Amino acid sequence: MEQPVSLRTPIQILAKPQRQPILSQSRAGSDLIPGRENRCVHCRAHLARHDELISKSFQGSHGRAYLFNSVVNVGCGPAEQRLLLTGLHSVSDIFCQSCKTTLGWKYEQAFESSQKYKEGKFIIEMSHMVKENGWD
């Protein structure tokens, strides 16, 4: 009986380089801290790395909130105009992709020039977030 012929040629598999743990600089800047992260308090989905944090001095709809440069594992609702403490903004509610809890909002557009730095940034309310991995 004749053996089937394989048209496949051998492929050389290259080893992938090892990924280094995420490191971020502390506020003092002198020592490195293993990647600290913020997670959804309801389902523990990863939301944002500490090095994406811009400010802890924001107010959400239900209390204190953090401003982040970028977030992950969130969905975005439709944009709407809201009059916030700092003026009129176009914002989209953001929610956890895993448990669908509303977490805060994304600044789509700021109408005052002093608030333009917020455009494209994200607010996550402290009541929906837990800090893990190396936090005090």
Side-chain angles (χ1 to χ4, degrees), residues 21-135:
I22 298 168
L23 298 175
S24 62
Q25 282 196 320
S26 68
R27 290 264 182 216
S30 60
D31 55 342
L32 293 176
I33 299 169
R36 302 183 309 185
E37 55 192 39
N38 297 277
R39 294 181 174 272
C40 175
V41 74
H42 309 285
C43 69
R44 296 298 195 262
H46 175 66
L47 299 175
R49 294 186 328 190
H50 178 69
D51 58 354
E52 294 296 323
L53 178 63
I54 297 171
S55 175
K56 296 180 182 181
S57 303
F58 276 73
Q59 186 69 28
S61 302
H62 305 288
R64 286 186 57 207
Y66 285 2
L67 180 69
F68 289 95
N69 192 46
S70 67
V71 296
V72 295
N73 299 321
V74 301
C76 233
E80 61 185 36
Q81 290 186 1
R82 289 188 198 155
L83 185 57
L84 302 174
L85 293 173
T86 55
L88 185 64
H89 294 80
S90 176
V91 298
S92 300
D93 285 339
I94 60 171
F95 57 90
C96 176
Q97 285 283 66
S98 179
C99 68
K100 308 302 182 208
T101 300
T102 299
L103 303 168
W105 61 82
K106 176 182 181 183
Y107 287 101
E108 301 290 351
Q109 183 180 7
F111 296 102
E112 295 183 26
S113 59
S114 66
Q115 302 299 307
K116 291 286 188 185
Y117 75 96
K118 295 178 184 175
E119 290 181 353
K121 308 294 190 286
F122 301 84
I123 288 287
I124 299 180
E125 296 184 355
M126 292 296 297
S127 60
H128 299 297
M129 187 171 52
V130 63
K131 304 169 194 173
E132 289 187 353
N133 193 11
W135 291 85

